Amino acid sequence: MSLLTFSDISFWTAITAYSLTVLATFGHLAWKTKNWQRVSAICAGSGLTAHLLSLGAIALALERAPWGSLYEFLSAVSALLMIVTVSQVLPKPELTSITGVLTGVAVMLMGIGALLYAEPTDLQPALQSGWLAIHVFLAIVGSGSLLSAATVSFLYLRRLRYDEQTQKNLTDRRADSPITTATASAIPSEAPAFTASVPDHTFHRSLVTEGNASSVLLSRSLSAAAGKEAGTALLEKNQRDTIDPTKENTDNKQHTKEAVNAHKTRLPSAKRLDTLAHRLVTFSFPIWTLAVLMGAVWGEQAWGRYWGWDPKETMSFIIWVLFAGYLHARATRGWKGKRSAVLACWGGGAILFNFLFVNLVISGLHSYSGF
Amino acid sequence: MTPTRAGSTSSTKKDPEKDQQTTTEAGSGNNTHNFDALPPVPMKAFAKLPGWKALRSMRTAIWLLLALAIATFIPTWVPQRITNQTKVQEFAEDHPSWFQAFDRLRLFDVFDSWWYIGIYGTLLFVLVNCLVPRTRNFFRQQKQAFATPRERKQFPSLPCHVEMQVPLSPEETVSLLKKTLRSHRFRQGNLNTRGQWVAEKGHLREGGSLVFHWSFFVLLLGMFFTRAFGFEGQVLLVEGEHWVDAPVNYDYYNPGRFFGPEDHRGFEIAHDSFEVRFFENGGPADFVSTVRVFDDTNNNAQGEKSQVLQKEIRVNNPLDYRGMKFYQISWGWAIRVTIDDQNGKPLFDDWVPLFPGGARNTWTGVVKLPSLSPQVGMELFFFPDALLLGEEEAADLRGDFAGGENLLIRLFARPGPPTIGDAVLLAGEYAGDLGQNTLFQTVYDLRTENMEGPLEYGLARLSNTGYRFADGLSLHAPEIRHYSVLRVKRDPGLWTVLIAAVLLMFGLTASLYISRRRLWVWVRPVEPDPSDTNTATAASGTDTKETAAPRTPPPNHNSTPSQSGEKPTATATESTTMSPASPLSQRNDVLSQQHATEAAAPRTPQTMVTLGGLAYQRKDAFETEFTRLVKDLQAKLRSNQAHGNNT
Amino acid sequence: MNFVISGFRPYPLKHRRIPSIFRSVIFFIALTLFATACSTSETHACGAQVSATNRPLPDFQGTLLDTSAFDTAEWRTGTLLVNVWGSWCAPCIREAPHLAQTANSMAEENVRFLGVDIKDNRPAAQQFEERYSIPYPSVFDDAGAFAAGLRVIAPPTTFLVQDGTVRTVIMGETDSSTIACVVRQISPPPPAKDPL
């Protein structure tokens, strides 16, 4: 069996394992048993191993970096996506649903890659450079993690919408309650102990909503009412939040506590998602910048110009601008939260467009895929 | 990257000398951490103009970024002159009316259009508008003491805070604290009269952000240099050709505004050979142009030239000679074509470059004979490895085959790499007016609008079997060679751009990964009894007397008793509000218990230290850092105390 | 494979001669002003495409179109008109009859003519000379070396050389009257107007 055949087999093994991971994730979400999670972790881990072996086999067989054609590039991007997933998301039980979505995106990319399959071959002269390894590697890491950030931002928007709806439901139901439109500071400490009467289901959901206001409010009223265990447990964190309801919360302790509640919903809390997306962007934005800059250096060497508005260059600039916008928006009042997440989603769309449309439809100097 | 800097400057006004205002702001509880907003920018006359505020706002900047992204997206759909001139031309021919409208909107030169320049120009203007005050403040803060000490009641609102009683004099404590903080690489402000100061770490975050944003201007400056003083050209060199660096010898020439003909070096290049290798699947593996450079070693353009170097130019390996760079761009076949008249007198004998034709492995070129009357033009089709089918075979393959007249449709290129096999040159003859004075054309196209033809197709094989046309012209193709296309560039702004890129990268990394954190320190004498203000004043008085001797410089705050007489009452009442048992500060509990044991030590606690800390980013990491700092501080205090006891 | 050949573009004729200032950042603005000032002031009496200059005729040894040897040393005395052309160049074809006529008429005034044929092939160039009955010899400068020394930007360009010094440059297509004007400016015909 040649190395390239081995690579193909491992690639398909990886796709199968990832698909199983997605299924197991849904199983976990549905039944919430440890076993499902274990299955999904094993599948993701073994899939990733096979995936990396597949890429390694190409590298060994052709003695070059395994991202010479679009098929290989997409495979490498999804491998990176899975590395992020397995290392960052999978170990945290509260983020299970994200594992599913990210793995789904990876499977999708690999599927598209498989459709565009081209026998890995030697490279045309422009690609025969040490820069291939550096530039394309950075591009893979950058776009992979930016894409996962965009995915998380998208989930954040879903979650936000869901929260708004539940909040609305809650307030509709409690229209007579004095807390309807209240902020944390406006709640009198002797607020009626309404939470006790709220059905369990709603209670938990509203607890993990993004707006600190609602959770503060609930826990305050809880403790004010009876000093129940749950209430006191939450009190500590919520008092911190009371200090500054707008401040970004990255406290680990709080996460684990939130996680307890997050289990009860399908998605992690909006705040958690937002933080995760921001961290991913903070991680990958400089990498993307470096990828673009390295590409410019390579372009200078190979084509004699560092920037020529080639379609690929144009798209990577757009992606860069959108995520730069995201980073600025996230620090700007009025753009925090929803609007910045929308920007990140646009950025993710631009990345997908860059992968698929620009590579396949528009021809430019970067058209190097196998057909 | 700094939150709402531009937006908040105008809204949050704060006088550093009036702490009262800060306190009320913090007291409102809504935005406790906004206490160190920028000092107000003095209102200039133009600043009152409507819209000026928007030009300092981050929100505007985000909208502009969005607009920039959308504008940059247009070239994905509309062909651009700078990248694809021929597509633009095609568009113009296919949709003339749309072309007019699009062209008026400059959609074919987006990156040079007024609206694109407008977007990024405005963005840069907003950027400058935000950057200038930020930069000024950055440097001002370096000089000025970190302005705002905190009121005591604000300390508990900080995420990390600790209060301890120290059995040392306030002066000793101050010097010890300052030393410890310095060893933790905190930059510290001056002590104020109440024994308070501010320490900061991670100011390079702001510095990095500033560097990042300013580097765009450096980048643009570099690009501007290139546009102004650089030049770009292309040359097509047939194997064996000699070429001299001068404007007239370029096939494409685009000099910067300030690049004149006298700026060319005048050296000579001999293109000795070109080699192209192929993979088994037919894809190209390598292009190599071997060149020799001849130059006058005395740098005199008119002097005798001698060979200075020999070099293989490859795709990723350009030739760099005296600031001129030569890049391997593409290659092709050049065929030597000779045309004689009926008397055997030569009319044309030159290398004709051939360009890839529509089909695989077919190449096309042009020969023009403007000095004949009528003028003659020939369309050349070259097949490096041709298959000439018989009429019936061709008819089988192409249903509408209309007879043997047109040899072109009987010729097929053999698949595989374009190497020379059974090479065939087919020439279609046209006669009439070449239209060189009336129709736009380059030397590589033939405009046949005013010509008759093709009168006849002539087929010449490379092996010197020529073809004689009906009008007596005879065509031969004795030799074939490669040509190589080199892009020649002089880019004086390249280094500026590179430096800008490096700065940009460093700035970005610093601004994203360094977190800024601040400490507020308050050192003051302990009041034995909160109700008894007189004793407190007395205590502080004795302290200052005692510490006249130690080696530490006398702190600034050995001030008037009246001042220290006023304050303690205020703080004493507040100290009760901050309960050490509050759930917020479990860790602090431990600490204060430690003080409790220390308090039992022979020397009585003399000094109260309040330390509050805040990280603007990475708050979780700061908590551990803060704990480490406090532990270190306690260790130092303990050792200092032991030391003090021994002596 | 990616072929980017744009062929001959009409060369921009807008650059001015400004001393080499690449290294100077500080003087940039001053020089910008200087450059714009130049562009407005510099107009020659004989036409817009004519400019005065003062530089030596470059040294060049090569062959003429008829393969006989050529050396600039033999051309350094008296008044000389150098025309840079190519048989493939449309404006060169247009101006060729005028040049032939002017060369014939000025032969008595001791104005010599020299052609420089660039980037061409001998048969085509000889055909060109025959067709327009060019009376003067032409240097065959296939590599463009002589043209480079003359600082030609694009053919056709005509130079007036007085005793080995290039005095006037005519960029682009020219005609008899411009050439006559240029020659008069440098050397007014002495015998006709001198009464003594």
Side-chain angles (χ1 to χ4, degrees):
Chain A
M1 186 172 71
S2 80
L3 275 170
L4 288 181
T5 325
F6 172 74
S7 162
D8 290 351
I9 294 172
S10 319
F11 179 84
W12 286 104
T13 316
I15 282 203
T16 319
Y18 291 161
S19 311
L20 289 175
T21 313
V22 177
L23 289 180
T25 318
F26 288 134
H28 176 67
L29 287 172
W31 287 284
K32 307 231 184 314
T33 56
K34 268 266 153 65
N35 279 342
W36 280 112
Q37 211 203 335
R38 237 170 258 152
V39 168
S40 84
I42 289 166
C43 284
S46 53
L48 184 59
T49 317
H51 200 163
L52 293 176
L53 281 176
S54 157
L55 291 173
I58 295 176
L60 264 181
L62 298 172
E63 291 174 351
R64 62 167 171 79
W67 36 75
S69 71
L70 186 56
Y71 155 71
E72 296 164 38
F73 182 78
L74 285 173
S75 172
V77 170
S78 35
L80 193 102
L81 210 64
M82 287 312 291
I83 290 172
V84 172
T85 313
V86 169
S87 63
Q88 294 298 311
V89 187
L90 198 70
K92 294 166 190 159
E94 74 274 16
L95 297 179
T96 313
S97 47
I98 303 186
T99 312
V101 175
L102 285 176
T103 316
V105 172
V107 170
M108 187 188 81
L109 286 181
M110 287 173 85
I112 294 164
L115 284 178
L116 308 175
Y117 178 78
E119 175 86 21
T121 57
D122 301 296
L123 294 170
Q124 65 173 77
L127 294 182
Q128 296 165 13
S129 163
W131 289 106
L132 176 75
I134 303 163
H135 166 65
V136 185
F137 175 73
L138 288 172
I140 287 169
V141 175
S143 49
S145 43
L146 282 178
L147 193 61
S148 47
T151 315
V152 174
S153 280
F154 178 72
L155 294 177
Y156 164 78
L157 287 176
R158 302 299 306 165
R159 171 77 213 207
L160 216 58
R161 205 168 142 210
Y162 171 75
D163 287 345
E164 274 162 16
Q165 276 168 0
T166 30
Q167 183 74 28
K168 215 175 127 231
N169 288 346
L170 183 71
T171 44
D172 286 350
R173 218 175 296 183
R174 297 273 137 206
D176 52 340
S177 148
I179 325 125
T180 40
T181 56
T183 58
S185 53
I187 312 289
S189 53
E190 58 279 355
F194 69 94
T195 39
S197 64
V198 175
D200 249 2
H201 195 59
T202 331
F203 164 64
H204 282 301
R205 282 194 180 164
S206 55
L207 256 189
V208 291
T209 50
E210 196 260 342
N212 286 325
S214 66
S215 64
V216 166
L217 161 166
L218 282 174
S219 55
R220 270 208 181 171
S221 43
L222 259 181
S223 59
K228 289 192 172 111
E229 293 93 293
T232 32
L234 277 166
L235 181 66
E236 195 178 319
K237 105 169 204 240
N238 285 331
Q239 272 190 347
R240 267 192 216 181
D241 289 353
T242 339
I243 294 162
D244 178 12
T246 55
K247 97 180 160 141
E248 181 192 334
N249 199 332
T250 52
D251 188 19
N252 278 331
K253 213 162 97 194
Q254 175 172 355
H255 287 157
T256 44
K257 273 179 191 150
E258 233 170 33
V260 175
N261 304 301
H263 257 292
K264 306 253 160 54
T265 60
R266 297 286 183 267
L267 280 176
S269 79
K271 171 159 274 183
R272 185 93 172 85
L273 288 169
D274 190 33
T275 311
L276 184 64
H278 180 241
R279 283 203 176 162
L280 282 169
V281 175
T282 323
F283 165 74
S284 43
F285 187 72
I287 293 175
W288 184 252
T289 314
L290 199 60
V292 173
L293 292 180
M294 288 294 163
V297 174
W298 188 11
E300 169 66 32
Q301 208 183 55
W303 302 318
R305 86 285 183 293
Y306 48 84
W307 197 264
W309 296 114
D310 176 78
K312 254 298 167 54
E313 288 167 345
T314 311
M315 276 320 288
S316 53
F317 177 69
I318 293 171
I319 294 166
W320 191 88
V321 165
L322 284 173
F323 280 100
Y326 169 83
L327 281 176
H328 284 87
R330 222 178 156 285
T332 307
R333 241 173 278 152
W335 277 82
K336 238 176 204 164
K338 209 180 208 169
R339 280 172 136 182
S340 60
V342 170
L343 268 181
C345 289
W346 281 32
I351 292 174
L352 285 179
F353 183 85
N354 189 19
F355 279 173
L356 307 174
F357 193 81
V358 174
N359 274 340
L360 302 184
V361 182
I362 302 166
S363 72
L365 288 171
H366 278 84
S367 318
Y368 49 73
S369 53
F371 54 99
Chain B
M1 242 59 13
T2 311
T4 63
R5 262 291 139 86
S8 64
T9 28
S10 41
S11 61
T12 325
K13 289 188 181 171
K14 191 163 62 63
D15 192 341
E17 278 148 38
K18 276 191 185 175
D19 284 358
Q20 199 53 43
Q21 204 177 342
T22 335
T23 329
T24 46
E25 230 171 59
S28 70
N30 246 348
N31 196 359
T32 336
H33 299 154
N34 205 17
F35 44 77
D36 67 332
L38 292 182
V41 181
M43 286 285 268
K44 301 229 176 73
F46 56 82
K48 286 173 187 154
L49 290 172
W52 179 257
K53 211 165 150 189
L55 286 175
R56 295 177 57 102
S57 132
M58 180 85 94
R59 256 154 277 185
T60 319
I62 296 169
W63 279 116
L64 284 167
L65 277 174
L66 207 55
L68 188 69
I70 293 165
T72 314
F73 198 53
I74 292 171
T76 312
W77 305 103
V78 185
Q80 294 297 299
R81 286 211 172 89
I82 47 161
T83 48
N84 208 336
Q85 177 86 46
T86 45
K87 273 255 181 76
V88 177
Q89 215 61 47
E90 274 171 32
F91 189 94
E93 279 158 27
D94 295 349
H95 323 274
S97 51
W98 279 107
F99 179 80
Q100 285 277 317
F102 277 29
D103 204 30
R104 203 155 295 159
L105 288 170
R106 311 270 285 144
L107 287 183
F108 300 106
D109 318 83
V110 165
F111 302 112
D112 285 324
S113 67
W114 53 268
W115 47 270
Y116 196 80
I117 293 171
I119 292 172
Y120 76 68
T122 321
L123 189 60
L124 291 174
F125 183 76
V126 173
L127 198 56
V128 168
N129 237 342
C130 298
L131 280 182
V132 168
R134 266 176 71 182
T135 312
R136 206 169 42 211
N137 275 309
F138 181 73
F139 287 110
R140 192 180 286 165
Q141 279 193 350
Q142 306 285 358
K143 273 190 234 159
Q144 243 177 30
F146 302 77
T148 335
R150 295 170 74 81
E151 287 295 312
R152 178 157 191 249
K153 69 172 179 189
Q154 282 176 265
F155 277 82
S157 75
L158 290 170
C160 298
H161 77 282
V162 72
E163 191 150 89
M164 44 194 166
Q165 294 179 328
V166 179
L168 293 172
S169 72
E171 289 73 24
E172 283 173 312
T173 317
V174 166
S175 72
L176 190 85
L177 272 167
K178 284 217 153 180
K179 217 164 73 192
T180 317
L181 288 176
R182 203 176 305 129
S183 72
H184 280 253
R185 290 211 229 111
F186 275 92
R187 293 150 28 82
Q188 298 175 70
N190 293 331
L191 200 66
N192 77 353
T193 48
R194 277 176 284 156
Q196 300 163 323
W197 77 95
V198 184
E200 198 186 60
K201 210 171 165 179
H203 62 287
L204 277 183
R205 182 188 182 88
E206 173 71 357
S209 176
L210 289 173
V211 165
F212 170 74
H213 286 105
W214 279 120
S215 68
F216 284 100
F217 293 92
V218 182
L219 196 78
L220 280 175
L221 191 74
M223 289 175 167
F224 175 76
F225 270 175
T226 303
R227 284 279 278 263
F229 301 113
F231 112 100
E232 192 186 7
Q234 265 181 27
V235 286
L236 185 150
L237 296 177
V238 180
E239 282 175 292
E241 190 176 335
H242 282 245
W243 175 89
V244 176
D245 170 42
V248 67
N249 293 333
Y250 286 92
D251 292 292
Y252 164 69
Y253 188 66
N254 182 20
R257 179 74 179 78
F258 299 106
F259 191 93
E262 65 284 348
D263 295 318
H264 282 280
R265 309 299 201 199
F267 53 81
E268 187 173 333
I269 283 183
H271 180 211
D272 289 336
S273 67
F274 179 83
E275 209 184 319
V276 54
R277 285 191 302 108
F278 295 95
F279 292 118
E280 282 165 22
N281 65 359
D286 205 3
F287 311 139
V288 195
S289 301
T290 310
V291 297
R292 279 174 299 151
V293 180
F294 299 88
D295 200 0
D296 178 32
T297 36
N298 303 323
N299 285 349
N300 176 4
Q302 314 303 341
E304 199 63 32
K305 285 170 184 163
S306 55
Q307 183 179 335
V308 284
L309 62 92
Q310 180 166 23
K311 157 103 184 165
E312 290 184 346
I313 304 175
R314 289 165 194 273
V315 172
N316 276 305
N317 194 355
L319 161 70
D320 189 348
Y321 183 68
R322 286 176 70 189
M324 291 281 211
K325 281 190 171 178
F326 293 78
Y327 299 87
Q328 178 73 56
I329 292 295
S330 78
W331 69 281
W333 293 108
I335 194 159
R336 187 171 156 212
V337 174
T338 65
I339 297 169
D340 305 334
D341 69 2
Q342 58 266 54
N343 307 323
K345 190 185 148 221
L347 297 176
F348 185 92
D349 180 359
D350 208 355
W351 293 98
V352 179
L354 299 161
F355 302 99
R360 196 181 165 89
N361 277 359
T362 62
W363 301 72
T364 58
V366 162
V367 170
K368 294 184 202 178
L369 300 170
S371 301
L372 295 183
S373 48
Q375 294 181 317
V376 168
M378 285 191 189
E379 229 180 346
L380 303 182
F381 300 89
F382 176 69
F383 296 80
D385 194 3
L387 195 64
L388 183 60
L389 298 183
E391 290 185 19
E392 292 80 22
E393 286 171 295
D396 285 347
L397 275 171
R398 295 180 177 169
D400 55 347
F401 181 62
E405 295 288 308
N406 196 340
L407 282 164
L408 187 57
I409 57 175
R410 282 169 54 198
L411 273 168
F412 289 88
R414 281 206 180 87
T419 45
I420 297 295
D422 187 9
V424 161
L425 179 74
L426 188 73
E429 190 192 17
Y430 292 80
D433 177 15
L434 285 167
Q436 281 173 321
N437 292 332
T438 47
L439 298 165
F440 174 78
Q441 57 191 303
T442 70
V443 287
Y444 303 125
D445 357 282
L446 184 67
R447 300 290 295 260
T448 56
E449 279 92 335
N450 304 332
M451 303 188 91
E452 270 180 67
L455 302 170
E456 194 178 355
Y457 276 101
L459 191 144
R461 287 183 190 270
L462 202 56
S463 50
N464 232 352
T465 34
Y467 183 83
R468 199 180 179 95
F469 287 93
D471 56 6
L473 298 180
S474 62
L475 170 86
H476 288 270
E479 273 178 276
I480 186 112
R481 285 182 185 174
H482 287 111
Y483 69 78
S484 171
V485 179
L486 303 177
R487 173 180 277 143
V488 189
K489 236 187 130 177
R490 195 190 153 90
D491 195 344
L494 189 65
W495 282 101
T496 319
V497 170
L498 190 68
I499 288 166
V502 171
L503 284 178
L504 188 146
M505 216 40 236
F506 273 111
L508 180 64
T509 316
S511 71
L512 283 179
Y513 295 139
I514 292 177
S515 66
R516 196 174 139 228
R517 47 263 201 225
R518 266 189 156 192
L519 289 179
W520 285 264
V521 194
W522 188 15
V523 176
R524 63 214 183 273
V526 157
E527 303 87 28
D529 188 349
S531 57
D532 191 353
T533 30
N534 291 332
T535 34
T537 331
S540 75
T542 48
D543 276 343
T544 37
K545 267 179 228 154
E546 274 173 12
T547 51
R551 66 252 164 231
T552 49
N556 305 347
H557 84 297
N558 47 1
S559 49
T560 52
S562 64
Q563 209 176 3
S564 44
E566 284 166 17
K567 283 293 155 190
T569 36
T571 48
T573 43
E574 273 164 17
S575 69
T576 49
T577 56
M578 195 205 77
S579 146
S582 125
L584 286 175
S585 44
Q586 292 165 322
R587 203 170 29 246
N588 301 350
D589 278 348
V590 182
L591 293 174
S592 37
Q593 272 158 23
Q594 280 175 350
H595 311 319
T597 51
E598 273 167 24
R603 285 185 70 174
T604 48
Q606 302 171 6
T607 311
M608 179 73 99
V609 176
T610 314
L611 195 62
L614 169 68
Y616 296 80
Q617 297 87 22
R618 307 179 146 226
K619 293 161 200 208
D620 42 353
F622 180 64
E623 272 184 31
T624 47
E625 190 187 357
F626 187 78
T627 319
R628 212 169 44 231
L629 175 73
V630 171
K631 278 193 181 138
D632 186 32
L633 206 59
Q634 286 178 324
K636 288 239 167 79
L637 283 171
R638 223 166 288 138
S639 72
N640 194 292
Q641 187 190 341
H643 184 70
N645 283 346
N646 288 349
T647 52
Chain C
M1 273 172 283
N2 183 37
F3 285 81
V4 221
I5 297 283
S6 316
F8 286 95
R9 273 208 172 174
Y11 298 130
L13 300 175
K14 57 177 183 183
H15 7 268
R16 324 270 162 235
R17 270 170 295 99
I18 286 165
S20 211
I21 44 164
F22 294 119
R23 295 135 222 113
S24 166
V25 183
I26 307 143
F27 296 131
F28 169 68
I29 294 166
L31 281 167
T32 316
L33 294 171
F34 174 67
T36 43
C38 274
S39 67
T40 51
S41 67
E42 207 178 315
T43 42
H44 195 274
C46 294
Q49 87 266 45
V50 184
S51 56
T53 177
N54 190 15
R55 53 176 192 249
L57 183 71
D59 282 324
F60 184 75
Q61 290 91 38
T63 57
L64 296 175
L65 265 182
D66 57 9
T67 68
S68 59
F70 167 81
D71 193 336
T72 39
E74 296 157 23
W75 296 79
R76 289 197 180 280
T77 50
T79 312
L80 171 70
L81 212 78
V82 180
N83 173 248
V84 182
W85 63 280
S87 71
W88 44 270
C89 139
C92 304
I93 295 170
R94 286 198 296 270
E95 71 172 8
H98 301 281
L99 279 168
Q101 185 204 332
T102 320
N104 287 329
S105 66
M106 283 190 171
E108 298 143 24
E109 294 178 34
N110 282 328
V111 179
R112 290 193 288 175
F113 275 63
L114 175 71
V116 179
D117 177 30
I118 58 163
K119 299 211 258 184
D120 212 341
N121 64 91
R122 273 182 213 271
Q126 280 161 349
Q127 189 70 25
F128 178 93
E129 298 229 293
E130 261 172 49
R131 173 163 180 173
Y132 300 104
S133 351
I134 307 290
Y136 49 87
S138 276
V139 183
F140 183 61
D141 184 22
D142 196 22
F146 193 28
L150 284 166
R151 295 188 186 169
V152 177
I153 292 174
T157 308
T158 311
F159 299 91
L160 181 71
V161 184
Q162 178 79 30
D163 294 327
T165 308
V166 182
R167 303 291 294 277
T168 318
V169 184
I170 307 169
M171 297 231 252
E173 192 184 331
T174 186
D175 51 34
S176 322
S177 58
T178 314
I179 292 173
C181 169
V182 165
V183 172
R184 294 285 169 276
Q185 289 244 323
I186 300 299
S187 60
K193 282 183 185 173
D194 197 348
L196 295 172

